């Protein structure tokens, strides 16, 4: 049986964009620094009370429209997020209920920024084994809840009151993280290509928990009694801890390695690949990976300027834009690549 290909896509970004200049109201940073070091110009944030499953609804509905399918034609949901609506249950079942398809199996996978290569491999396995036919893969994130400021009114320019210096300092202490992430959702609908010349080719995936602390959240884990305590907030353990430089080096080393290894295994030359669909963590990471692979930068698309790092959302959001503006076409060879908290990293090949 032929592997999966993508038959529909959608994206949803909440609220109005928040510029780098707006961030400088709640922390010490500048538009110039953020643009130069990351390529990011703006990002979106979910509203208070708006969760990953809510953001996913908008993206999923647009993906269904583009695939010309009704929600009840989906027979599996793979929900990718590192910022679920609740500690449990996962957000996949909530999304199914919101789409009006209760009873459809929904799997939450926790590969953070590396979700898409894993999700594509899982979806392909489900389809090829006959367990599912039409799968909705969603990457959705509401990072707003872990942002290190509380002055959302000042951030949005709705108030010009002074920010408490202690709050401003907290923002500045966590600025490496805070300037990177934005919220949003992307959705892909996949099905067997029905054609032996097209579809999922293969993936090479890796996980290494020894490096989990390069980016992780210390607070709120079930190894503690209780799993949340006021002291955790005092110690700022609800805010992810990120070794930015270390993570950067890991990404620019492991991503070219895994792309070379996967393409070699499948006898694919890098020059045959139409698009390298890379996770959008920091534009400088993708520039370094492009240089290390020696590929044409025009084949490594970027949209991080507008959305920042939407973790599991970046790849489906980028693909939706490329489908809609005509860059992605049937028959093209795609190489997906991503690295994220876990650490998990990997690459996948698909003939669209
Ligand atoms: O999806 C996976 C998740 N995360 C990643 O992949 C993150 C990978 N790492 C990165 O993207 C980068 O390491 C960061 C964007 C987080 C940081 O950039 P960097 O070029 O590694 O900066 P740095 O942490 O080495 O800091 C350089 C300087 C420091 O000042 P001094 O010590 O040289 O005087 C920082 O204090 O830049 C300063 N700095 C800032 N200045 C203004 C750090 N963050 C900021 C900021 N605004 N937001």
């Amino acid at each position: 049986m032929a592997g999966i290909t993508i038959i529909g896509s959608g994206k949803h970004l909440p609220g109005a964009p928040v510029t780098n200049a707006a961030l400088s109201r709640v922390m010490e940073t500048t538009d110039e620094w953020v643009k130069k070091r990351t390529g990011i110009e703006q990002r979106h944030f979910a509203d208070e009370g708006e969760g990953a499953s809510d953001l996913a609804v908008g993206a999923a509905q647009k993906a269904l429209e583009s695939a010309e399918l009704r929600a009840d034609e989906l027979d599996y949901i793979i929900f990718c997020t590192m910022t679920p609506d609740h500690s449990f249950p996962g957000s996949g079942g909530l999304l199914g209920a919101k789409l009006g398809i209760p009873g459809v199996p929904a799997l939450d996978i926790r590969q953070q920024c590396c979700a898409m290569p894993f999700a594509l491999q899982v979806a392909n396995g489900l389809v090829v084994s006959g367990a599912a036919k039409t799968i909705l893969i969603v990457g959705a994130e509401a990072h707003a809840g872990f942002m290190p400021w509380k002055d959302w009114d000042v951030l949005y320019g709705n108030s010009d009151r002074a920010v408490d210096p202690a709050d401003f300092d907290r923002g500045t202490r966590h600025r490496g993280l805070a300037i990177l992430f934005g919220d949003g959702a992307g959705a892909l609908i996949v099905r067997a290509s029905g054609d032996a010349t097209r579809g999922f080719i293969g993936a090479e995936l890796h996980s290494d928990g020894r490096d989990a602390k390069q980016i992780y959240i210390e607070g709120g884990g079930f190894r503690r009694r209780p799993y949340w305590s006021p002291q955790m907030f005092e110690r700022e353990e609800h805010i992810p801890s990120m070794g930015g430089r270390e993570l950067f080096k890991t990404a620019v080393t492991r991503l070219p390695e895994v792309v070379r290894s996967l393409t070699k295994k499948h006898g694919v030359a890098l020059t045959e690949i139409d698009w390298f669909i890379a996770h959008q963590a920091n534009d400088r990471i993708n520039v370094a990976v492009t240089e290390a692979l020696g590929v044409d930068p025009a084949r490594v698309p970027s949209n991080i300027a507008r959305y920042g790092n939407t973790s599991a959302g970046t790849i489906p959001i980028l693909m939706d834009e490329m489908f809609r503006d005509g860059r992605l076409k049937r028959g093209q060879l795609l190489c997906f690549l991503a690295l994220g908290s876990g650490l998990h990293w990997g690459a996948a090949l698909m003939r669209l």
Side-chain angles (χ1 to χ4, degrees):
M1 191 174 175
I4 55 164
T5 190
I6 298 163
I7 61 163
S9 68
K11 72 172 198 295
H12 175 72
L13 282 308
V18 174
T19 60
N20 297 333
L23 290 184
S24 67
R25 297 176 189 141
V26 292
M27 70 182 74
E28 188 66 52
T29 193
T30 61
D31 176 49
E32 192 199 354
W33 192 97
V34 179
K35 254 197 254 179
K36 192 163 154 234
R37 299 288 185 121
T38 69
I40 300 167
E41 294 175 16
Q42 58 176 47
R43 74 286 293 141
H44 294 246
F45 289 116
D47 214 343
E48 170 70 31
E50 193 173 32
S53 71
D54 300 307
L55 303 181
V57 172
Q61 282 167 341
K62 288 184 198 118
L64 285 164
E65 275 165 36
S66 76
E68 297 181 13
L69 289 176
R70 297 184 315 269
D72 64 11
E73 291 174 275
L74 297 171
D75 56 10
Y76 221 105
I77 295 171
I78 299 179
F79 200 110
C80 310
T81 188
M82 64 177 205
T83 51
D85 300 51
H86 305 286
S87 296
F88 73 83
S91 296
L94 303 177
L95 174 62
K98 287 173 186 172
L99 290 176
I101 49 169
V104 169
L107 187 68
D108 273 52
I109 68 166
R110 296 287 310 270
Q111 269 57 39
Q112 293 60 254
C113 297
C114 191
M116 284 302 136
F118 278 78
L120 291 169
Q121 187 192 54
V122 171
N124 188 63
L126 288 167
V127 169
V128 170
S129 72
K133 198 165 158 247
T134 310
I135 302 181
L136 171 65
I137 300 175
V138 181
E141 304 286 359
H143 302 114
F146 68 49
M147 286 299 160
W149 58 79
K150 55 185 185 202
D151 307 279
W152 288 93
D153 54 339
V154 176
L155 178 80
Y156 285 125
N158 297 333
S159 164
D160 56 7
R161 67 182 167 74
V163 170
D164 183 316
D167 292 333
F168 196 84
D169 284 352
R170 186 186 331 99
T172 303
R173 269 199 305 285
H174 296 280
R175 64 185 173 179
L177 174 98
I179 50 108
L180 279 184
F181 290 93
D183 296 344
L188 301 174
I189 297 178
V190 299
R191 236 184 203 180
S193 73
D195 170 350
T197 65
R198 295 194 295 114
F200 187 81
I201 297 166
E204 180 175 322
L205 306 174
H206 297 279
S207 301
D208 188 346
R210 290 175 303 179
D211 291 332
K213 293 203 169 174
Q214 286 191 21
I215 177 167
Y216 82 114
I217 296 187
E218 172 66 24
F222 285 93
R223 69 201 192 290
R224 310 284 278 279
R225 299 175 190 173
Y227 70 101
W228 268 120
S229 65
Q231 293 75 28
M232 288 180 189
F233 288 102
E234 282 158 23
R235 292 191 297 258
E236 299 173 3
E237 291 174 1
H238 59 297
I239 301 169
S241 154
M242 182 177 85
R245 276 191 219 182
E246 205 184 359
L247 198 51
F248 193 100
K249 282 190 211 139
T250 309
V252 301
T253 311
R254 292 195 180 149
L255 289 170
E257 261 169 28
V258 75
V259 169
R260 285 194 187 282
S261 171
L262 176 70
T263 48
K264 190 170 168 215
K265 204 179 299 171
H266 291 280
V268 169
L270 294 177
T271 48
E272 286 177 65
I273 294 169
D274 293 291
W275 298 109
F276 292 86
I277 311 281
H279 168 53
Q280 309 282 302
N282 179 331
D283 226 23
R284 280 168 49 227
I285 293 181
N286 290 352
V287 168
V289 171
T290 305
E291 280 169 9
L293 289 172
V295 299
D296 178 1
R299 291 190 286 128
V300 191
S302 168
N303 65 357
I304 196 169
R306 281 170 289 134
Y307 308 123
N309 178 352
T310 56
S311 297
T314 66
I315 286 180
I317 291 173
L318 177 61
M319 292 195 78
D320 181 56
E321 295 191 330
M322 295 177 73
F323 274 120
R324 286 174 197 268
D325 66 21
R327 275 177 290 173
L328 284 179
K329 295 182 183 71
R330 290 280 153 236
Q332 286 178 337
L333 184 58
L334 312 182
C335 179
F336 300 89
L337 54 146
L339 177 137
S341 166
L343 293 181
H344 302 288
W345 68 101
L349 286 170
M350 178 188 281
R351 175 79 63 186
L352 205 54

